[in-house]
Amino acid sequence: MKIKIGTMLRDTVRSLFRKPVTELYPAERQATPERLRGQLYWNPEKCTGCCLCMKDCPSNALELITIDKANKRFVMRYDIGRCTFCAQCVQNCRFNCLEMSSEDWELAATTKSPFTVYYGRDDDVESILAHLSGAGHQEAE
Ligand code: SF4
Ligand code: SF4
């Protein structure tokens, strides 16, 4: 394919005076659509522990850990790396405990740890994490 030098130079000079078509992301961010499916959040207040969300998740991205079923104390483990953002869990929860943020969508990370999120009461999450680190320690021994 022959490129005409004159045409190329004309295009180059023209582009120097044009407004760039690219955006200065992340310095400038576009508003996100209201229904964008970003990070999943869990509200434990009305959760019955039915586990329907977990069973319906096609990616095995959710685990509901029971702390005290009688007192409805659970911890939800959410694996962002597995989530396909299908929203099936959101639609199937009869108690509207789950929602997907339209704001939190920049989920890339350079390490694995930010991809596993635990939701629940702070003391419950702490006890689960302590248990997991203890189990990991025992396995390593
Ligand atoms: S489907 Fe809803 S109520 Fe049932 S365990 Fe999941 S979040 Fe809780
Ligand atoms: S959005 Fe889809 S893939 Fe992600 S946790 Fe819910 S059901 Fe699973």
Side-chain angles (χ1 to χ4, degrees):
M1 190 176 78
K2 277 187 187 171
I3 302 172
K4 286 186 183 165
I5 299 290
T7 311
M8 197 174 80
L9 281 174
R10 199 174 56 232
D11 286 350
T12 308
V13 172
R14 249 191 226 155
S15 66
L16 287 174
F17 297 99
R18 274 196 196 135
K19 194 172 172 272
V21 289
T22 49
E23 290 164 9
L24 291 174
Y25 176 85
E28 287 173 19
R29 299 176 77 210
Q30 294 268 339
T32 48
E34 206 178 302
R35 294 176 64 194
L36 181 95
R37 296 177 194 161
Q39 181 165 341
L40 182 76
Y41 285 97
W42 176 65
N43 178 350
E45 296 211 341
K46 288 189 267 174
C47 181
T48 60
C50 70
C51 293
L52 198 62
C53 52
M54 198 173 119
K55 288 177 195 153
D56 279 354
C57 175
S59 312
N60 201 16
L62 296 175
E63 182 188 6
L64 194 77
I65 304 161
T66 303
I67 304 284
D68 178 353
K69 189 154 190 180
N71 290 306
K72 294 189 176 168
R73 278 174 57 194
F74 309 101
V75 168
M76 175 76 84
R77 182 185 58 78
Y78 170 46
D79 190 334
I80 301 173
R82 283 180 167 270
C83 182
T84 58
F85 304 91
C86 66
Q88 200 157 295
C89 54
V90 178
Q91 282 159 15
N92 290 350
C93 176
R94 285 166 290 178
F95 302 94
N96 296 322
C97 302
L98 294 159
E99 65 173 339
M100 303 193 94
S101 165
S102 61
E103 294 291 324
D104 300 341
W105 54 270
E106 291 155 308
L107 304 173
T110 53
T111 57
K112 271 185 172 181
S113 55
F115 290 113
T116 306
V117 179
Y118 291 86
Y119 296 127
R121 282 172 40 163
D122 289 347
D123 51 343
D124 290 342
V125 171
E126 273 167 29
S127 76
I128 291 296
L129 292 177
H131 175 74
L132 289 175
S133 66
H137 183 66
Q138 274 176 4
E139 271 170 29
E141 281 175 351

